Amino acid sequence: MSRNSGGTGLGGGLLIAGTTSDAGKSVVTAGICRWLVRRGVKVAPFKGQNMSLNSFVTREGAEIGRAQAMQAQAARVEPTALMNPVLLKPGSDRSSQVVLMGKPVGELSARGYHGGRQEALLGPVLACLEELRSTYDAVICEGAGSPAEINLRRTDIVNMGIARAARLPVVVVGDIDRGGVFASFFGTTALLSPEDQALVAGYLVNKFRGDVSLLEPGLDMLRGLTGRATLGVLPFRHGLGIDEEDGLRVSLRGAVRESVVAPPYGADVLRIAVCAVPLMSNFTDVDALAAEPGVVVRFVDRPEELADADLVIVPGTRGTVRALAWLRERGLADALALRAAEGRPVLGICGGYQILGERIDDEVESRAGEVAGLGLLPVRVRFEREKTLARPVGVALGERVEGYEIHHGVADVRGGDAFVTDSEGRALDGCRAGSVQGTHWHGALESDAFRRRFLTEVARTAGRRFVPAPDTSFGALREEQLDLLADLVEEHADTAALLRLIEEGAPAGLPFIPPGAP
């Protein structure tokens, strides 16, 4: 791939926008990254601004959206803060923590952010993109929501704002499984200004089921109406459990995403219930469990749904005190206490670990002061203004385990055993007391040997004849999913057209579709 960006010396680029949130921007971006790297192209992902509670910590200790970390894996490069310079982590319906270049810089209301702060971030965002483009042959950018959010266009730093500033061609993705994809493509384009429309170079249909020949007359009409081609029709595929960012794509009391449909390796299945707490963060922590044959993972919000669970997980949350109150209001707190008294397994992760402790002193996140925890672990938590961001390694249940930490709460462990130790047996994190255990480490269950030991212990405690499969590799499954995304791009998209856009930019003379931006 040649470098051609108007003589700037920058690598090629492309922005993947969407008709809506959850249209498939993240997975299409990942698929294009993996397709390009398989062609020998040095490629990186980029998202100027992300809103997500599903985040990751880079090796330099920066917090970024987990979707961008997944896309970096697709591109076979190490994720960095440059790939997601602005991350918004909602703390309520009206405010979010602003993370800039991997570090929290404050809490802002939506009005405060869009009223001036966001616009001021365009320069730093463009500087990150320029640095990536000076290093890589291609940078595949992901938009957010829809580029036709005309109420936010003036301050936009992630969709057409960055496309205009960096002269990026734009491909718009639409989810046909939702219906109305032709109207969405046309309406998205027609609501953009002439200058923005000049960069919209084509469309991608996502999640198509059926005979493509039945779709082709509509695609031809869309081209006649807009002067833009549809550059691919990507079929719907089961089993793409790729990291989400916009929300939890499962209904409560529904099985976690696309759990592996495989019989148990032993005689029994293992049932895991995850409490669907408010502002749940890093719900991908349970993906590795759902990938195990014979493990059924469900999100629940009623105490009676814990009755037949062999393990209950209290996951991470951006609102620890709020989630604690929710558990009490729902009756789940009493159900957890009963489980602990009966010696049945409970695991808390990050905020969930803090909830299981004796006391929480929070003048940072909720500003609620001192609040009684569930008292199931001998742990007291104090929230600090400085956020812990780390990529630790340790030993748990005799096996090497890796994780990442994202939390304001500092745990004072006053009994029990450590959940994770160093190689010398010294406590690193967490607490185990009877059948209840907790850790601040996200991602620990992705360590295959540890996960198998952990599930074996849960099965023994629960009295289940469940045996973990000896060869499940979560990392290998993730690689298979990323390669499947690349296969979909290679087989069902106009890859020659995509390469031209990346190398040469949007073609000249794309027609204006009235009425344009108001």
Side-chain angles (χ1 to χ4, degrees), residues 136-203:
Y136 292 88
D137 299 330
V139 178
I140 308 303
C141 306
E142 180 189 345
S146 162
E149 291 167 350
I150 53 180
N151 56 316
L152 303 177
R153 175 61 184 90
R154 181 182 60 82
T155 59
D156 173 49
I157 63 170
V158 66
N159 289 306
M160 301 312 299
I162 196 166
R164 281 267 294 281
R167 302 304 300 170
L168 294 173
V170 178
V171 173
V172 181
V173 177
D175 179 357
I176 197 169
D177 205 42
R178 294 182 172 190
V181 73
F182 294 116
S184 297
F185 283 145
F186 183 87
T188 297
T189 309
L191 278 175
L192 301 178
S193 69
E195 295 81 4
D196 287 351
Q197 286 193 27
L199 295 173
V200 176
Y203 310 112

Side-chain angles (χ1 to χ4, degrees), residues 352-423:
Y353 166 41
Q354 298 166 2
I355 284 168
L356 297 178
E358 298 171 347
R359 190 180 71 195
I360 298 169
D361 187 359
D362 179 14
E363 296 291 351
V364 175
E365 190 176 78
S366 68
R367 297 184 176 87
E370 193 167 303
V371 178
L374 298 187
L376 305 184
L377 287 174
V379 175
R380 297 182 181 181
V381 176
R382 183 186 68 260
F383 275 63
E384 300 285 359
R385 298 203 174 277
E386 179 106 10
K387 182 186 282 191
T388 297
L389 297 168
R391 288 276 295 274
V393 178
V395 177
L397 299 180
E399 302 289 352
R400 186 178 188 275
V401 61
E402 298 182 46
Y404 55 99
E405 296 184 69
I406 307 169
H407 54 93
H408 286 279
V410 176
D412 176 13
V413 180
R414 301 188 168 206
D417 299 313
F419 186 87
V420 188
T421 67
D422 64 15
S423 58

Side-chain angles (χ1 to χ4, degrees), residues 34-317:
R34 177 54 61 95
W35 162 66
L36 285 171
V37 80
R38 292 196 317 198
R39 290 177 54 91
V41 177
K42 187 179 179 184
V43 59
F46 178 79
K47 185 163 186 173
Q49 172 201 293
N50 198 345
M51 177 174 280
S52 179
L53 289 172
N54 200 19
S55 59
F56 183 76
V57 178
T58 67
R59 294 209 178 276
E60 71 266 31
E63 185 179 8
I64 65 172
R66 189 164 169 112
Q68 278 61 66
M70 175 269 293
Q71 292 160 356
Q73 183 180 348
R76 295 181 180 147
V77 296
E78 190 68 33
T80 73
L82 291 172
M83 298 172 184
N84 180 207
V86 180
L87 173 64
L88 305 179
K89 302 192 72 174
S92 70
D93 292 339
R94 293 175 176 268
S95 67
S96 295
Q97 183 181 69
V98 181
V99 179
L100 178 61
M101 293 303 296
K103 304 296 181 184
V105 294
E107 198 92 12
L108 279 178
S109 68
R111 179 171 293 277
Y113 182 69
H114 291 288
R117 181 63 187 271
Q118 183 183 32
E119 199 171 9
L121 293 173
L122 180 60
V125 166
L126 287 172
C128 291
L129 176 58
E130 183 173 351
E131 185 170 343
L132 288 175
R133 293 181 73 186
S134 69
T135 306
Y136 292 88
D137 299 330
V139 178
I140 308 303
C141 306
E142 180 189 345
S146 162
E149 291 167 350
I150 53 180
N151 56 316
L152 303 177
R153 175 61 184 90
R154 181 182 60 82
T155 59
D156 173 49
I157 63 170
V158 66
N159 289 306
M160 301 312 299
I162 196 166
R164 281 267 294 281
R167 302 304 300 170
L168 294 173
V170 178
V171 173
V172 181
V173 177
D175 179 357
I176 197 169
D177 205 42
R178 294 182 172 190
V181 73
F182 294 116
S184 297
F185 283 145
F186 183 87
T188 297
T189 309
L191 278 175
L192 301 178
S193 69
E195 295 81 4
D196 287 351
Q197 286 193 27
L199 295 173
V200 176
Y203 310 112
L204 264 175
V205 175
N206 192 30
K207 301 183 189 175
F208 180 71
R209 309 173 193 244
D211 185 346
V212 176
S213 66
L214 298 176
L215 192 65
E216 287 172 351
L219 301 179
D220 291 340
M221 285 187 275
L222 181 67
R223 182 165 193 164
L225 289 166
T226 66
R228 292 158 174 86
T230 296
L231 304 180
V233 178
L234 306 184
F236 184 92
R237 287 288 184 269
H238 289 283
L240 294 178
I242 300 294
D243 298 351
E244 311 290 350
E245 65 172 34
D246 293 321
L248 185 61
R249 289 183 52 208
V250 295
S251 60
L252 293 182
R253 299 177 297 282
V256 56
R257 285 203 207 91
E258 302 279 356
S259 298
V260 171
V261 181
Y265 190 77
D268 287 346
V269 299
L270 206 64
R271 298 172 176 85
I272 298 176
V274 183
C275 297
V277 296
L279 298 173
M280 190 189 312
S281 62
N282 289 71
F283 53 81
T284 48
D285 283 333
V286 302
D287 281 1
L289 298 176
E292 287 282 354
V295 175
V296 180
V297 180
R298 299 175 67 86
F299 289 89
V300 304
D301 64 349
R302 298 174 182 161
E304 58 268 28
E305 293 176 299
L306 306 189
D308 68 345
D310 303 308
L311 168 68
V312 174
I313 295 178
V314 185
T317 171

Side-chain angles (χ1 to χ4, degrees), residues 416-435:
D417 299 313
F419 186 87
V420 188
T421 67
D422 64 15
S423 58
E424 303 298 322
R426 294 182 291 263
L428 285 182
D429 180 77
C431 181
R432 299 164 60 95
S435 64

Side-chain angles (χ1 to χ4, degrees), residues 1 14 16 23-39 41 43 70-71 74 140 171 173 203-208 230-237 240 242 480-502:
M1 169 177 276
L14 179 68
I16 303 299
K25 298 183 293 292
S26 296
V27 294
V28 168
T29 300
I32 293 175
C33 284
R34 177 54 61 95
W35 162 66
L36 285 171
V37 80
R38 292 196 317 198
R39 290 177 54 91
V41 177
V43 59
M70 175 269 293
Q71 292 160 356
I140 308 303
V171 173
V173 177
Y203 310 112
L204 264 175
V205 175
N206 192 30
K207 301 183 189 175
F208 180 71
T230 296
L231 304 180
V233 178
L234 306 184
F236 184 92
R237 287 288 184 269
L240 294 178
I242 300 294
E480 289 175 12
Q481 292 168 329
L482 294 172
D483 278 326
L484 176 56
L485 289 176
D487 292 342
L488 293 178
V489 170
E490 189 166 352
E491 295 167 15
H492 300 280
D494 185 343
T495 53
L498 290 175
L499 284 173
R500 282 195 302 273
L501 290 176
I502 293 168

